[in-house]
Amino acid sequence: MTFSTAEHEAMRRALTLAATPAVPLGPNPRVGCVLLHDDGTTIAEGYHRGAGSPHAEVDALAAAGEWARGATAVVTLEPCNHTGRTGPCSQALIAAGVRRVVYAQADASPVARGGAEGLTRAGVDSEGGLCEQEARAINRAWTFAVDHRRPFVTWKFATTLDGRSAAADGTSRWVSGLAARRDTHRLRALCDVMLVGTNTIAVDDPLLTVRDDHDQPLPYQPMRVVMGERDLERARRVFGDAAETLHLRTRDPHAVLADLFVRGRQHVFLEGGPTLAGAFVQAGLVDEVVAYVAPMLLGSGRGAVGDLGITTIAEALRFTITDVALLGSGDSDPTVRLTMTPSKES
């Protein structure tokens, strides 16, 4: 693969555009596009602003107008070959007279892939793989969902030093400090599903929304999903109109993820109690763990996860720490956030 210096620089800019914070999460990936003259200068740029809006390539082409003819399109994802709410980007590039297309990540989606092949058949020079890992990182959950045909699962929990998520009398507010709770809302906003079990709704009655530092709801709210066979009172706060709510009457984690994948959901934030967490862990369906560890001891009380059937240390499930952060060091409730992924040998 041979890419020019201008194409490298344009791809870095396209990655920045793809990661624009204002873009809402949704079923589509984040994509950026930059159009270049033959001399390497930028003609126009664009990015995808969410489901139903023009894709990044079309956004850039609209800004370029006739200047797009003979240009090089540098895009973070292989142009799609799919007609949905919008037309195929590969055909839009061909119609605009683009001479060359450089993309980072191949599109593995069964409904959208094949754009590069279509470009080549039309005589457009097409080459992929430039900054591929960076592009995959921006669309981590989307890429995982496409590759594995299920949503990525992040399990979040708060615990004391001795592994308790609640005291013996059931009280759990607040195991973690204010900074940790704000950080949890930041992570919630990166997902499109918040998942709990029926017991959490019946006992804790959480609102399960994403809120800012002033406890105000954000414009975008992930879907609230409750799994379990138990009937729940409709007066529970999760059934209010603050966000969309779905009750899946099953205890099978595989069935839940399959249902959510069909609904176009890609990242599940698992916030249920120890029974639900244990079910997902035992099923091998936890892809990331975020643990908030508070510097306190309870001695007894509810554990963070239920029985996993492990009877000896040799059978322990092990995790690789990918990030450690101290939150709220200046207040009275500091918390350590550990981010982990399952170890391959587990």
Side-chain angles (χ1 to χ4, degrees):
M1 294 180 288
T2 304
F3 304 105
S4 69
T5 300
E7 288 170 347
H8 275 273
E9 292 176 352
M11 184 60 79
R12 285 191 286 271
R13 173 58 182 164
L15 290 167
T16 299
L17 291 167
T20 301
V23 175
L25 295 171
N28 295 348
R30 298 172 182 264
V31 184
C33 177
V34 175
L35 298 178
L36 297 177
H37 281 295
D38 284 342
D39 63 3
T41 58
T42 298
I43 300 171
E45 56 187 35
Y47 63 93
H48 183 48
R49 292 168 171 81
S53 65
H55 288 190
E57 299 94 321
V58 174
D59 191 35
L61 290 172
E66 289 300 318
W67 289 102
R69 187 162 300 278
T72 293
V74 179
V75 60
T76 57
L77 182 68
E78 177 187 0
C80 69
N81 189 37
H82 168 65
T83 299
R85 298 185 189 181
T86 60
C89 293
S90 55
Q91 295 303 312
L93 292 166
I94 293 168
V98 167
R99 175 184 61 84
R100 172 172 163 81
V101 174
V102 174
Y103 61 91
Q105 177 184 358
D107 193 337
S109 171
V111 299
R113 63 189 176 195
E117 182 181 348
L119 290 166
T120 300
R121 285 200 306 266
V124 177
D125 182 25
S126 178
E127 195 168 0
L130 177 59
C131 299
E132 179 180 359
Q133 293 308 310
E134 293 91 331
R136 292 177 69 89
I138 288 174
N139 287 304
R140 179 182 68 153
W142 179 86
T143 299
F144 181 94
V146 168
D147 289 345
H148 294 81
R149 312 300 295 166
R150 69 164 178 85
F152 185 90
V153 176
T154 295
W155 169 35
K156 167 262 171 182
F157 64 92
T159 180
T160 60
L161 289 175
D162 50 350
R164 305 299 179 181
S165 63
D169 65 358
T171 55
S172 61
R173 299 179 64 157
W174 299 97
V175 169
S176 57
L178 175 60
R181 296 195 294 276
R182 287 176 173 172
D183 192 64
T184 295
H185 281 281
R186 177 186 65 84
L187 295 180
R188 282 180 173 183
L190 298 176
C191 304
D192 52 15
V193 169
M194 286 185 287
L195 177 63
V196 298
T198 53
N199 189 66
T200 293
I201 300 301
V203 174
D204 296 337
D205 192 22
L207 184 59
L208 285 183
T209 57
V210 180
R211 300 182 292 279
D212 62 20
D213 290 350
H214 303 288
D215 206 35
Q216 296 302 306
L218 298 184
Y220 166 79
Q221 293 293 330
M223 175 189 284
R224 302 174 294 189
V225 177
V226 184
M227 67 174 285
E229 299 173 350
R230 183 195 307 192
D231 289 331
L232 294 168
E233 297 176 1
R234 301 308 295 181
R236 299 284 91 180
R237 294 198 299 165
V238 76
F239 295 116
D241 59 4
E244 182 181 3
T245 300
L246 176 67
H247 184 181
L248 296 177
R249 293 178 178 271
T250 178
R251 297 176 181 174
D252 182 358
H254 291 278
V256 168
L257 295 185
D259 187 301
L260 294 175
F261 180 76
V262 171
R263 296 173 187 268
R265 303 291 164 160
Q266 300 154 6
H267 194 170
V268 170
F269 200 58
L270 180 63
E271 291 201 74
T275 301
L276 185 63
F280 272 81
V281 171
Q282 284 191 300
L285 294 175
V286 171
D287 308 298
E288 178 181 61
V289 178
V290 178
Y292 295 95
V293 183
M296 67 172 71
L297 296 171
L298 285 173
S300 64
R302 185 176 64 185
V305 65
D307 183 16
L308 298 177
I310 296 172
T311 57
T312 177
I313 195 69
E315 298 174 351
L317 299 179
R318 301 183 183 275
F319 294 84
T320 299
I321 297 175
T322 59
D323 185 64
V324 180
L326 176 61
L327 306 174
S329 58
D331 65 24
S332 59
D333 296 307
T335 307
V336 175
R337 184 192 67 218
L338 297 173
T339 305
M340 300 165 280
T341 56
S343 297
K344 293 182 180 178
E345 62 268 20
S346 291

